Amino acid sequence: GMMAEEAFIVSTDSSLSKVEVIDLMVRLHINAGHCTGEDSDGITTALKGREEHGTTATEAMLGSALPHTKHIAFKAPKISVAIFPKGVDFESMTGDLVHLMVLVLGNPQQPGEYLRVLEASSRMLKPALKQRSALLSATSFQEFSEVVKSIA
């Protein structure tokens, strides 16, 4: 597998703002026990700061985004996948709605491990361009991973 713990959500709420999407995804990790509610403000702030440097919903991502940050709350890399069938406004470079998001969280003391998971996640999103509909119909992380493997 990805060697990272995963969390997964499908949301049909297309009215979410970029900040609300980030909050939603961080909540997934709190619910999964990857971090505590006390850590969430710091994690959310770091993710928003990273996005302010330049959106991770880049032109190459075509309707996907890869928000990511490092925080001491995470002993090992964590990833989550969010699928937005109706799309959300993640302030992408092209103005396109984002339908697929992978969030990567890692430990500041393990930059190599973090980078490896980030690169793997980026590769997961690349084939999404060809197989977008199959990925967007996944109902679990496992199903999502299986689609990714079948495309790669």
Side-chain angles (χ1 to χ4, degrees):
M2 290 275 302
M3 301 283 300
E5 284 184 53
E6 305 100 5
F8 184 88
I9 194 169
V10 175
S11 173
T12 53
D13 187 350
S14 56
S15 69
L16 295 171
S17 68
K18 182 167 193 167
V19 166
E20 288 169 332
V21 168
I22 289 173
D23 287 342
L24 173 76
M25 294 192 77
V26 171
R27 254 198 324 277
L28 283 182
H29 290 275
I30 297 169
N31 295 344
H34 299 164
C35 56
T36 67
E38 285 162 28
D39 296 320
S40 67
D41 284 350
I43 297 162
T44 310
T45 302
L47 284 165
K48 289 168 190 166
R50 167 64 194 83
E51 288 294 326
E52 278 157 22
H53 279 291
T55 179
T56 60
T58 59
E59 231 166 312
M61 284 294 189
L62 290 171
S64 305
L66 185 59
H68 55 275
T69 196
K70 297 194 278 279
H71 191 277
I72 52 165
F74 304 103
K75 304 282 174 277
K78 309 285 183 220
I79 86 171
S80 53
V81 172
I83 294 174
F84 302 98
K86 296 179 183 172
V88 287
D89 179 5
F90 204 67
E91 299 166 20
S92 65
M93 274 182 189
T94 53
D96 296 325
L97 294 178
V98 165
H99 293 274
L100 180 59
M101 204 165 308
V102 176
L103 170 65
V104 177
L105 301 162
N107 186 295
Q109 269 81 52
Q110 301 173 326
E113 190 74 350
Y114 169 74
L115 210 59
R116 200 178 56 74
V117 173
L118 194 55
E119 281 166 4
S121 301
S122 172
R123 282 197 300 276
M124 278 164 69
L125 290 172
K126 292 254 159 60
L129 313 181
K130 295 195 292 265
Q131 298 282 350
R132 180 56 51 90
S133 58
L135 283 171
L136 292 181
S137 61
T139 56
S140 68
F141 193 92
Q142 194 180 349
E143 210 176 294
F144 182 85
S145 301
E146 276 161 21
V147 175
V148 169
K149 282 188 202 113
S150 72
I151 302 163

